[in-house]
């Protein structure tokens, strides 16, 4: 494994559910890579998860990765809640089905391939790369036809 790859992710939704966009900024080997996408009917949490999944899927080799997200849902879900969800057959502590189960399963698979440290960053607080990820997500919605 070489140097650390840094990823900033964000999701956005116009209505919740509604039109959604996701964005990711990947800082890798002196390069800044921008990824984004659009879904016609989704939720903000689904877009936050999708941004992280798509960013990780773009990393081809096993890597050391730092992921910065403004989503406590993603950070806490992958670091804390998912262990009990899997142990409890993808049920919450209240015995309800886990929301966005398919995305969580996909994220869990993506995470296995890497050594990842997770960081929470306050959204809309002037963090340069978080602001870019947010703009990518919002622009994905604006540019959809």
């Amino acid at each position: 494994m070489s140097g650390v790859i840094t990823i900033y992710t964000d999701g956005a939704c116009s209505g919740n559910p509604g039109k959604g966009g996701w964005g990711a900024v990947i800082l890798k080997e002196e390069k800044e890579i921008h990824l984004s996408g659009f879904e016609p009917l989704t939720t903000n949490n689904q877009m936050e998860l999708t941004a992280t999944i798509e960013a990780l899927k773009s990393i081809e080799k096993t890597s050391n990765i730092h992921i910065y997200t403004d989503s406590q849902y993603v950070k806490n879900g992958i670091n804390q809640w998912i262990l009990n969800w899997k142990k409890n057959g993808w049920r919450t502590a209240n015995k309800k089905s886990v929301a966005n189960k398919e995305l969580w399963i996909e994220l869990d698979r993506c995470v296995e391939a890497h050594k990842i440290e997770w960081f929470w960053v306050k959204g809309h607080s002037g963090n340069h790369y978080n602001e870019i990820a947010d703009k990518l997500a919002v622009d994905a919605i604006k540019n959809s036809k």
Side-chain angles (χ1 to χ4, degrees):
M1 285 195 258
S2 57
V4 173
I5 296 171
T6 302
I7 299 173
Y8 287 81
T9 64
D10 202 9
C13 225
S14 181
N16 199 17
K19 291 181 178 182
W22 61 268
V25 178
I26 301 169
L27 305 171
K28 176 182 172 184
E29 298 168 357
E30 312 291 319
K31 288 186 221 141
E32 183 176 315
I33 302 158
H34 294 182
L35 304 174
S36 64
F38 168 78
E39 289 291 330
L41 184 61
T42 189
T43 67
N44 189 62
N45 283 341
Q46 289 169 340
M47 290 294 87
E48 295 282 0
L49 285 163
T50 300
T52 308
I53 291 164
E54 293 301 326
L56 287 171
K57 282 166 66 174
S58 78
I59 308 299
E60 295 170 1
K61 292 189 261 180
T62 298
S63 301
N64 286 315
I65 300 174
H66 290 175
I67 297 180
Y68 292 83
T69 178
D70 61 10
S71 172
Q72 292 281 7
Y73 176 70
V74 171
K75 183 179 177 290
N76 292 337
I78 198 66
N79 284 309
Q80 298 167 20
W81 308 333
I82 200 168
L83 299 173
N84 284 328
W85 292 339
K86 291 195 297 190
K87 197 167 41 173
N88 296 330
W90 291 97
R91 298 250 174 234
T92 66
N94 298 333
K95 307 289 186 238
K96 294 182 180 161
S97 291
V98 170
N100 306 311
K101 174 183 164 186
E102 292 76 20
L103 290 170
W104 284 112
I105 290 170
E106 190 172 4
L107 180 57
D108 192 39
R109 272 194 221 113
C110 291
V111 164
E112 286 176 357
H114 304 286
K115 183 177 183 296
I116 299 176
E117 287 185 62
W118 296 84
F119 302 90
W120 180 78
V121 60
K122 184 174 170 55
H124 310 286
S125 63
N127 179 295
H128 178 70
Y129 292 112
N130 180 257
E131 297 291 341
I132 293 173
D134 177 67
K135 183 172 180 358
L136 289 166
V138 170
D139 285 352
I141 297 169
K142 286 181 186 169
N143 296 329
S144 69
K145 297 294 173 218

